[in-house]
Each structure stands twice: as C-alpha cells, then as structure tokens.
Amino acid sequence: MASNDQAGDVATYAASVRAALSDLPSDQAEVLLEDLEDHLREIAAEADGPLSERLGPPEQYAQELRAAYGAAQGERRKDPALHDLQRAVARVMGSAWYRELRVFLPELRPAWWVLRGYLLVLVLTAAFSPGYNLRPIPNPFSKRGLLEIVVAVFAIVVSVRLGRRNRPLARGGRLLAIGANVAIAILALPVLINMGTFPYAAVMTYAGQSVDQPLYTPSGIVTNIYAYSKDGKPLTDVLLYDQEGRPLTLNKDGGDVTSDYPIGADGLPITNAYPLKQRHLNGDPVPTPRVALPPWPATSPTASPSPTASPSPSPSPTR
C-alpha cells in the first residue's frame, strides 16, 4: 500500500498535470487524463523518490502527453482507443531506463557538436570533389590534406560555439536547427560508407579491355610516374605493366591537368608510357618534380682469376 507521502505526491502531481491540460476541450482532456492517478500510483510504487524526479516537472509530463497523442491546443480528438496508448506512454516515461536515457543524452551534446563540424566538411568535400579518395584522417603532408584539416578544425570550432549558445532559439529556429542536424547526419552516411580506406587501386580488365582506376599513395592520388636509372638519369617512354602483363594505366581524371599520350603504329594511344606529357588547363606544361634518389650501392669490381701455373716437370730419376 502506498504511504501517505506517496499519496500526497500523486495527488499534487496529478493536479498539476490537469492544470497544464486545462486548455483542452473537456472530451479530449477526459481521454488524456483518464486513470491518471492510477498510472501515477503504479509508477510511485515501483521505486522511492518524488514523481518530479522520475517523470520530470508536471508541465513537461503534460506536454509529452500532448506530443504522444498528437493533441494540439484546441484540436478535438474523439478516439477513445488512445487510452491504451496513454497507459503505454506513461509506463515508458516512468521506467528506469527512460529516466537514465533522458539524463545521459544531454551529456552527448558536446560530442555531437564536434562530430557535426567534421561530418559537414566530409559532406562538402564529397559534393565538390567527386572521385576524390576521402579518408578518415586527411594526409597532413599534402596541400589538400592540410587544407582539409584546417577547414575541419574551423568548422568544429564554429559548431561548438553554436552549440554552447545560452540564448534559446525560437520555435522556427529550433525546428530549422533540428532539420539541419538531421540532414548532416543523413548525408554523411553514404559518404562514410564509401570512404576509401585502401592505399591504392590497381588496373583491372574486363572482357579483354583495360579499365583504369585511381592509384593512391599516402600523399594522395597519383597523376604521373617518373622513372630514373640507378645513376640518377631520368628515363622516358618507360612502359609499365602489372603482374598479369596488363598495361598499368592511371586514371584519366587528373584534376587540373591533361595528358598527351603517344600514338602507336596501330593508331591507338599508348597510355602506359611514362612519364606522361601533361599540361595544366591554362596550357602551361607540368614541370618535372625534384626527387631524392636513394644512395645506390657501388658495384664492387670482380676479381679476375689468376692464370693457372703450369706444373713443373718432375725430375727424372737418377741412375
């Protein structure tokens, strides 16, 4: 049996809930508040503590009842079947796991503020750079990767500052903010799923024809290959093939450069001859990069075999 304290708490809480819903039509209020005291007594009997700690303030509980039933102020609903739904909602809101979840979710807001800025940069990068191999952490040793990191840090700082604003938003602004957060999360899902975490992509063939795919290194996509001999001399027209003997061809989408391929005797372009002759979109040739050649071991001279000495004649026996 409930104690006097619990009975008084139930009566006070129920009266506050009824007062918060007093603006509803009588028939709708009757459906919403039917057996309210019975529900509150069941919740109060499950554990100690005032109902305001378990269900929140009475006004908030009343507002949640409105939202659960879709009851807006002045709207009439005559469906008594909502009685069972009311009982189920009251049990959920009075459960221990629901209370713990309501307390825990606000603690995740700072983490979402940081993640929101990061995801926004990923979505914009994927939208304006189709075919670019996005990675969870950009390469800080490349210009593009460094730019991604700087933009991501800026977006995270702005996102956190917006999240820490103490001034509450109006209803329209709140709905707009919720919609923007949901849109960022939904748009980021395919970007995260298609995010390339592989270090490179090789050439494939299908039906006897080569299919070029991007080749990646830790510093980004490869657009050209330069070959050198071991004594440091640059090599030209070097033909590259993979382990199956197929031409190793880079992706034709080189960003802001165009490639001029040599034409073979059969009239077809030779796309695996390196280095490629490339030009920027403004017509300027792409300069040869400066490379650091590894120290090649010096070839040790091979010792020539000494001539074999002819055996001296054995002395003839003396007689």
Side-chain angles (χ1 to χ4, degrees):
M1 180 177 294
S3 64
N4 293 333
D5 293 339
Q6 288 181 343
D9 187 25
V10 169
T12 303
Y13 196 91
S16 299
V17 173
R18 292 180 181 275
L21 297 177
S22 61
D23 60 313
L24 296 178
S26 58
D27 56 345
Q28 183 178 349
E30 182 181 356
V31 173
L32 292 177
L33 299 175
E34 185 180 2
D35 298 332
L36 175 63
E37 286 81 358
D38 294 339
H39 299 324
L40 296 178
R41 278 192 290 269
E42 292 178 4
I43 295 172
E46 292 179 357
D48 297 331
L51 289 172
S52 58
E53 293 182 358
R54 306 190 61 188
L55 299 178
E59 295 77 10
Q60 180 179 348
Y61 182 83
Q63 187 65 28
E64 290 175 350
L65 284 179
R66 291 176 186 266
Y69 296 110
Q73 184 174 355
E75 180 185 359
R76 293 180 174 271
R77 300 179 66 103
K78 299 182 179 180
D79 188 1
L82 296 178
H83 170 71
D84 294 336
L85 180 59
Q86 177 192 14
R87 182 183 295 272
V89 171
R91 286 188 176 277
V92 169
M93 291 189 297
S95 61
W97 66 266
Y98 179 79
R99 298 194 308 273
E100 294 177 358
L101 182 63
R102 286 179 55 183
V103 174
F104 176 69
L105 284 180
E107 298 180 1
L108 296 180
R109 289 175 182 171
W112 166 245
W113 298 339
V114 175
L115 183 61
R116 177 176 58 187
Y118 172 76
L119 294 179
L120 180 60
V121 173
L122 286 184
V123 171
L124 294 179
T125 303
F128 291 100
S129 301
Y132 177 64
N133 183 34
L134 281 172
R135 286 185 289 262
I137 301 178
N139 180 21
F141 301 103
S142 64
K143 294 182 179 179
R144 182 159 190 165
L146 184 60
L147 179 61
E148 288 183 52
I149 294 176
V150 172
V151 174
V153 171
F154 176 78
I156 290 173
V157 171
V158 173
S159 177
V160 172
R161 289 179 63 89
L162 291 176
R164 295 184 63 184
R165 291 179 56 184
N166 295 325
R167 185 176 59 184
L169 296 174
R171 180 176 179 83
R174 180 177 176 83
L175 293 177
L176 181 61
I178 294 175
N181 289 333
V182 173
I184 292 174
I186 294 177
L187 293 176
L189 284 178
V191 177
L192 294 174
I193 293 174
N194 297 324
M195 181 176 291
T197 56
F198 47 87
Y200 65 92
V203 174
M204 298 187 305
T205 59
Y206 179 76
Q209 296 182 357
S210 63
V211 179
D212 57 325
Q213 288 190 346
L215 181 68
Y216 296 98
T217 66
S219 59
I221 188 172
V222 176
T223 59
N224 207 341
I225 298 176
Y226 295 86
Y228 291 82
S229 63
K230 66 179 182 179
D231 55 359
K233 295 180 179 180
L235 304 179
T236 58
D237 297 331
V238 177
L239 301 178
L240 298 183
Y241 298 86
D242 66 2
Q243 70 281 354
E244 301 294 336
R246 298 170 296 192
L248 186 61
T249 304
L250 298 179
N251 189 278
K252 295 183 177 63
D253 184 11
D256 60 346
V257 298
T258 58
S259 301
D260 297 329
Y261 299 109
I263 304 300
D266 54 359
L268 299 177
I270 304 175
T271 57
N272 65 325
Y274 297 96
L276 301 175
K277 296 180 180 179
Q278 295 179 326
R279 293 182 177 274
H280 294 289
L281 297 181
N282 59 4
D284 295 337
V286 176
T288 303
R290 299 179 63 182
V291 298
L293 297 172
W296 200 267
T299 304
S300 58
T302 304
S304 58
S306 60
T308 305
S310 58
S312 57
S314 58
S316 58
T318 56
R319 294 186 179 178

